């Protein structure tokens, strides 16, 4: 029986996309695409998400790619502009889950430094009963350790949990520790995929 739904943050709860920041920064879309596809790769994200101060991350990458130094510091200084809104329908979906007695949690790879700029800006985070953020724990998905931190901290049984994320590698990481995984596309798809898992659990209150 599923009693807990665990949510990734970027591209699941929040519409995060570095294009929002960089499309107007670079002279052309082609240059922007090249930068995001070849320079600011997942390695950049991991450097911050594991807890390294973002200015140190920018300094490191500016030394590696001095021609893009300004772009790295632009990210640090203007990070909130990488998010435009909550993902449509997700706030309402979480409210419906909670009304059925389902518990809701967060698990994200995110710099704690930059996440704090989002935490009180978007109301969706106030719905969560607890969260684990990689930048605080200094461990990244899909390492089994970060899933176990969440399970242990909140006394959750993995067989009673489902985790949704936009990256298959992170779904695989959850399933490796016994958590059911759902690859996220949008709120409607997630709700449809959750329903058969919740059908035998708590029903709508009222």
């Amino acid at each position: 029986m599923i009693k807990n739904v665990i949510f990734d943050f970027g591209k699941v709860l929040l519409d995060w996309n570095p294009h929002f920041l960089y499309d107007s920064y670079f002279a052309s879309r082609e240059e922007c695409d090249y930068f995001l596809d070849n320079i600011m790769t997942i390695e950049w994200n991991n450097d911050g998400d594991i807890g390294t101060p973002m200015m140190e991350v920018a300094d490191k990458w500016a030394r590696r790619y001095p021609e893009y130094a300004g772009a790295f510091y632009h990210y640090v200084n203007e990070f909130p502009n990488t998010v435009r809104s909550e993902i449509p329908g997700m706030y309402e979906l979480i409210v419906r889950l909670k009304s059925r007695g389902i518990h809701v949690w967060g698990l994200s790879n995110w710099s704690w430094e930059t996440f704090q700029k989002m935490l009180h800006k978007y109301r969706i985070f106030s719905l969560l009963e607890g969260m684990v953020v990689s930048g605080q724990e200094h461990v990244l998905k899909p390492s089994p350790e970060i899933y176990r931190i969440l399970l242990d901290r909140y006394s959750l049984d993995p067989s009673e949990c489902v985790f949704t994320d936009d990256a298959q590698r992170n779904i695989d990481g959850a399933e490796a520790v016994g958590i059911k995984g759902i690859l996220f596309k949008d709120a409607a798809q997630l709700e449809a995929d959750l329903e058969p898992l919740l059908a035998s659990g708590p029903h709508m209150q009222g």
Side-chain angles (χ1 to χ4, degrees):
M1 179 189 302
I2 296 298
K3 299 179 180 179
N4 305 280
V5 180
I6 306 163
F7 299 89
D8 178 37
F9 295 164
K11 300 186 179 181
V12 175
L13 299 187
L14 296 187
D15 189 10
W16 173 85
N17 191 326
H19 274 286
F20 299 155
L21 178 65
Y22 284 116
D23 281 352
S24 60
Y25 179 86
F26 287 102
S28 69
R29 179 59 185 254
E30 291 74 18
E31 187 180 4
C32 181
D33 287 345
Y34 178 83
F35 175 73
L36 293 177
D37 291 343
N38 299 283
I39 306 300
M40 187 173 270
T41 61
I42 192 170
E43 184 185 350
W44 156 275
N45 287 320
N46 288 346
D47 279 351
D49 290 351
I50 205 162
T52 307
M54 287 306 300
M55 195 57 72
E56 290 184 19
V57 176
D59 288 343
K60 169 186 171 180
W61 284 74
R63 289 191 297 270
R64 182 180 297 182
Y65 299 103
E67 67 274 30
Y68 289 110
F72 298 128
Y73 294 115
H74 184 62
Y75 186 94
V76 176
N77 294 328
E78 302 294 333
F79 176 81
N81 292 322
T82 63
V83 176
R84 284 190 174 167
S85 65
E86 296 174 357
I87 294 290
M90 289 302 292
Y91 184 93
E92 294 77 9
L93 172 55
I94 293 176
V95 168
R96 289 194 292 275
L97 290 172
K98 295 183 72 167
S99 77
R100 296 175 66 167
I102 301 299
H103 300 285
V104 293
W105 314 91
L107 176 62
S108 185
N109 283 353
W110 203 308
S111 158
W112 183 245
E113 178 185 339
T114 57
F115 177 65
Q116 289 182 87
K117 299 177 181 179
M118 304 289 103
L119 180 58
H120 300 295
K121 184 175 181 179
Y122 292 98
R123 61 178 183 159
I124 201 164
F125 293 115
S126 68
L127 297 175
L128 302 179
E129 296 171 58
M131 64 181 69
V132 167
V133 177
S134 66
Q136 273 194 313
E137 310 299 335
H138 307 291
V139 61
L140 298 169
K141 294 178 295 180
S143 169
E145 183 181 354
I146 194 166
Y147 303 93
R148 293 189 181 114
I149 288 171
L150 179 79
L151 296 171
D152 292 346
R153 183 166 297 163
Y154 300 108
S155 301
L156 307 180
D157 182 337
S159 69
E160 298 176 343
C161 298
V162 59
F163 172 63
T164 186
D165 194 293
D166 64 299
Q168 184 62 49
R169 64 183 179 276
N170 296 333
I171 296 298
D172 295 342
E175 293 186 333
V177 299
I179 300 171
K180 171 72 176 175
I182 296 176
L183 187 65
F184 182 84
K185 296 177 183 175
D186 57 41
Q189 162 264 329
L190 176 60
E191 188 160 24
D193 287 351
L194 281 172
E195 189 54 38
L197 302 176
L198 305 179
S200 61
H203 296 289
M204 189 74 72
Q205 297 174 349

